[in-house]
Amino acid sequence: MKYALVTGGSRGLGRAVCLKVAQMGIPVLINYQSNEAAAQEVKALVEAEGVSAELLRFDVRVKQEVDDALSRWEEAHPDDYIAYLVNNAGIRRDGMLFMMPEQDWHDVLDITLNGFYNVTTHLLPKMMMRKHGGRIVNMSSLSGLKGLPGQTNYSAAKAALIGATKALAQEVAPRGVTVNAIAPGFIETDMTKDLPQDELKKMIPVGRFGRPEEVAALTGFLLSDEAAYITGEVISINGGLYT
């Protein structure tokens, strides 16, 4: 049985991706760090789609936690493997760089970039050993493509994730593993609820924020067999804001 792991799967884009994966008939592992109630809610929604779901609690920043949680799962599922990985976990800690606390810099980079490293390096060898390979989708951002003022830490993390995507894609393509990134613009989630939406919508050609389900649909395609010849790409979904 091939499973999907979605990091940061308890809310926002991660929640929408979990539901999309479930609709594709793929069992889902929902990673979360602290909000168990939200994770349980996503689990129930996934199971309502008729597929199995499990919660995996770990902090993507802490390699030992990642390795322990994934190793326990692998021991309990000796005949199964995680073939689909969505590195979605991320946070914002916005502020002008000259006033940015050091912890805000490290927290943002640690979750996005070190989280990608910790989870991917654990799962990748098993993907590469399997006949049908695997799919990795990394959730980057418009900020990683163009940079946004007040988000030097976030832009740095998401831009680094794009570089990692392009490099890793070339390393693992011969083993049937694809690696792509998605760069959402402004999407209606908890992460953007504090932004001045009325002002920002004026900058977006389609005149609105995106919906999590739209990003999830793109993620689902990149995880599918139909996307087997797409790798090393960064696909924007931003309503024409940055083209």
Side-chain angles (χ1 to χ4, degrees):
M1 182 73 72
K2 296 193 290 187
Y3 282 73
L5 169 62
V6 181
T7 67
S10 65
R11 60 190 181 88
L13 294 182
R15 173 191 173 109
V17 169
C18 287
L19 295 180
K20 177 62 180 179
V21 170
Q23 291 161 7
M24 296 167 66
I26 302 170
V28 186
L29 305 177
I30 304 160
N31 161 251
Y32 71 103
Q33 181 183 349
S34 57
N35 194 339
E36 184 169 355
Q40 288 285 2
E41 183 179 335
V42 177
K43 181 176 184 289
L45 292 172
V46 167
E47 291 172 338
E49 296 289 341
V51 301
S52 66
E54 298 178 48
L55 301 185
L56 286 183
R57 181 174 184 171
F58 57 80
D59 184 341
V60 296
R61 293 173 291 188
V62 183
K63 193 170 192 314
Q64 193 63 56
E65 282 191 31
V66 174
D67 288 341
D68 288 349
L70 293 177
S71 294
R72 284 194 299 269
W73 184 87
E74 289 160 350
E75 290 168 5
H77 298 78
D79 298 323
D80 305 323
Y81 83 110
I82 297 170
Y84 311 97
L85 169 60
V86 181
N87 286 303
N88 170 74
I91 61 169
R92 282 176 44 219
R93 293 287 185 270
D94 294 354
M96 303 299 284
L97 184 65
F98 76 95
M99 295 188 298
M100 183 176 290
E102 183 178 352
Q103 196 62 47
D104 287 357
W105 172 267
H106 288 296
D107 284 347
V108 170
L109 267 77
D110 282 350
I111 290 178
T112 292
L113 199 54
N114 292 343
F116 155 80
Y117 171 83
N118 292 336
V119 179
T120 305
T121 54
H122 185 102
L123 298 178
L124 194 55
K126 297 172 183 64
M127 285 188 190
M128 296 171 67
M129 290 169 54
R130 297 285 180 153
K131 179 179 179 181
H132 300 292
R135 300 276 185 272
I136 299 172
V137 176
N138 298 320
M139 203 63 71
S140 184
S141 171
L142 168 70
S143 297
L145 291 171
K146 72 181 295 288
L148 289 177
Q151 288 193 334
T152 302
N153 51 357
Y154 191 73
S155 296
K158 296 299 189 178
L161 193 58
I162 287 172
T165 296
K166 290 177 175 290
L168 181 60
Q170 296 173 67
E171 293 178 6
V172 300
R175 296 297 187 94
V177 179
T178 65
V179 188
N180 293 288
I182 295 175
F186 295 112
I187 309 296
E188 293 177 345
T189 67
D190 290 346
M191 193 175 281
T192 60
K193 65 183 180 182
D194 62 328
L195 299 178
Q197 291 199 22
D198 291 341
E199 291 299 315
L200 291 171
K201 286 176 183 177
K202 297 174 184 176
M203 301 165 51
I204 304 170
V206 302
R208 65 174 177 86
F209 277 26
R211 297 188 300 273
E213 293 77 15
E214 293 171 313
V215 179
L218 174 57
T219 306
F221 171 68
L222 291 174
L223 295 175
S224 73
D225 291 341
E226 286 81 0
Y229 201 56
I230 301 173
T231 196
E233 292 301 315
V234 183
I235 303 178
S236 293
I237 177 166
N238 57 38
L241 177 60
Y242 183 70
T243 57

